[in-house]
Amino acid sequence: MAEVPEIELTDPAVLSDPFTAYRRARERSPVVRLVTPGFGAMWAVTRHAPARTLLTDPRFELRAESYLRPSVPEAYRPYLRTMEIDGPEHGRLRRLVAPAFTARRAADRRTRIEAVVAGLLDDAARQATDGVVDLVAHLARPLPTAVICDLVGVPEADRPQWRAFGAAVAAGDGPTFVAALPAIIDSARSVVAQRREAPGDDLVTDLIRVRDDDGDRLSETELVSLVWHLVLAGQTPANLLANAVETLLAHPEQLAALRAEPDLMPRAVEELTRWSPPQMLTVPRFATGEVTIDGVPVPAGEPVTVAVVAANRDPEVFPDPDRLDLARVPDRSAHLGYGHGPHFCLGAALARVQTEVALTALLRRSPDLALAPAGAHRAPDPGTWRLLTLPVQL
């Protein structure tokens, strides 16, 4: 067996161009070692076929150690458990919320999403300085927050604080997020209480009915936990949208093709998700025994992740994978931008619709859209591919 390559996650070359670093590693081995000084190492699967297999393999499990478990007061700890469950318990909770996130329900919300996008772009134009505005701050971040709050049932008056919570998460600042967690959980309790008092056409109202009619299916703690997890997780399409705009501006020939043929948009969103995935590494799973992945032995108890950034450009699955091709015939089951298996992103359909609507409106309203001279600023984050700012000329 060839020596397993190592990737140092804090290497500036890796942070600035992970696609090249992981491509070179993938060419050498289906599995690599990811090393972070001071934090140990974990295994990463780089090729598409073993990556899909791992994400459905019961020999790899999510554990409490898969997450950076925040330190919060004892009274709030039960509300963190939803982060760590797997297997049948995860399946039970997922089935309760899944009906709100189907492709049909996402399509039904398109008109409401279009109205939100129109309002955000109107506001962006008003706040632009010499025609320049930061699309991260004025479109990519606020859009998913508005959409998920509407779907879940967060009252309008409470949404500014959830935007602030989402900003704490998006900043990648662990201590800030941990400090905010008690307020986040208290706000989720408040959402449940308000929807009990005034039911609406939303997910929380539906879950309250489940809870109150059949408490064996959903406990009060689980209900509150689902609310805060769903609202915060629902804000992650911000990275997808910002990456998509930056990628299009860096590929003017592809942008021109999309402008010339707007019906390409659904296909374009799939390709943009594949080519520039917001999540570069999946949540690590732990081997329950020694497992061999494409000839590489992984000892029992060690963490393993999928390098989405590598698997999404595997030439065995995607011809000419490093080329952005918005006309590429999509296979939604192929790229791993939304994960795979039991933990496939619940909000994938909603993320697709939001991104399609936002890009369509932005390109229609800004025919001369261009990156501003200041340039985009990307976070040095080995786990996510995300922009901190995206100043554009509208």
Side-chain angles (χ1 to χ4, degrees), residues 59-77:
R59 296 176 298 173
F60 295 94
E61 63 182 12
L62 292 173
R63 298 179 182 173
E65 309 97 281
S66 297
Y67 304 88
L68 294 175
R69 187 172 178 84
S71 176
V72 296
E74 183 66 36
Y76 293 94
R77 290 181 187 172

Side-chain angles (χ1 to χ4, degrees), residues 194-212:
Q194 290 179 73
R195 281 294 170 251
R196 271 208 173 92
E197 187 70 26
D201 178 20
D202 52 68
L203 178 57
V204 171
T205 297
D206 293 343
L207 292 176
I208 287 171
R209 293 193 188 104
V210 172
R211 162 68 188 137
D212 293 351

Side-chain angles (χ1 to χ4, degrees), residues 302-384:
E302 296 209 357
V304 187
T305 184
V306 165
V308 176
V309 66
N312 270 9
R313 297 197 184 189
D314 187 338
E316 292 294 319
V317 179
F318 307 100
D320 197 4
D322 292 322
R323 180 173 63 90
L324 180 73
D325 179 8
L326 301 187
R328 190 186 297 270
V329 177
D331 178 354
R332 289 185 172 183
S333 66
H335 77 69
L336 302 179
Y338 300 109
H340 179 64
H343 291 270
F344 179 82
C345 176
L346 192 64
L350 198 60
R352 286 176 170 125
V353 171
Q354 288 180 69
T355 307
E356 289 175 19
V357 168
L359 290 178
T360 298
L362 178 63
L363 298 185
R364 183 180 66 246
R365 292 173 57 147
S366 300
D368 298 318
L369 185 70
L371 190 63
H377 182 205
R378 190 168 288 281
D381 183 343
T384 61

Side-chain angles (χ1 to χ4, degrees), residues 127-280:
Q127 299 199 39
T129 302
D130 295 328
V132 174
V133 69
D134 178 12
L135 280 188
V136 170
H138 291 280
L139 180 64
R141 281 185 188 159
L143 173 60
T145 305
V147 171
I148 194 64
C149 283
D150 181 52
L151 185 149
V152 170
V154 175
E156 195 77 43
D158 293 350
R159 294 180 186 181
Q161 69 181 356
W162 284 100
R163 282 195 290 273
F165 296 150
V169 175
D173 184 345
T176 300
F177 171 59
V178 170
L181 257 177
I184 290 171
I185 294 168
D186 286 341
S187 296
R189 288 172 172 160
S190 175
V191 171
V192 172
Q194 290 179 73
R195 281 294 170 251
R196 271 208 173 92
E197 187 70 26
D201 178 20
D202 52 68
L203 178 57
V204 171
T205 297
D206 293 343
L207 292 176
I208 287 171
R209 293 193 188 104
V210 172
R211 162 68 188 137
D212 293 351
D213 293 348
D214 185 359
D216 290 339
R217 294 178 63 202
L218 184 68
S219 70
E220 189 73 11
T221 298
E222 289 172 334
L223 173 55
V224 172
S225 300
L226 283 172
V227 170
W228 80 263
H229 281 105
L230 288 170
V231 175
L232 292 186
Q235 299 185 42
T236 56
N239 297 330
L240 170 60
L241 177 54
N243 286 347
V245 174
E246 185 200 36
T247 300
L248 288 172
L249 293 178
H251 294 80
E253 75 294 342
Q254 291 292 305
L255 176 55
L258 183 57
R259 287 188 182 280
E261 193 175 348
D263 288 346
L264 274 179
M265 186 59 76
R267 188 180 297 186
V269 169
E270 290 305 306
E271 174 69 348
L272 289 162
T273 307
R274 178 197 73 84
W275 199 85
S276 188
Q279 197 73 24
M280 293 195 289

Side-chain angles (χ1 to χ4, degrees), residues 24-76:
R24 291 171 177 166
R26 184 189 62 234
E27 290 170 351
R28 292 176 56 193
S29 173
V31 180
V32 302
R33 292 287 278 170
L34 304 183
V35 180
T36 304
F39 290 94
M42 63 179 168
W43 304 86
V45 179
T46 60
R47 296 179 186 168
H48 190 275
R52 279 173 62 94
T53 298
L54 181 141
L55 293 174
T56 58
D57 191 333
R59 296 176 298 173
F60 295 94
E61 63 182 12
L62 292 173
R63 298 179 182 173
E65 309 97 281
S66 297
Y67 304 88
L68 294 175
R69 187 172 178 84
S71 176
V72 296
E74 183 66 36
Y76 293 94

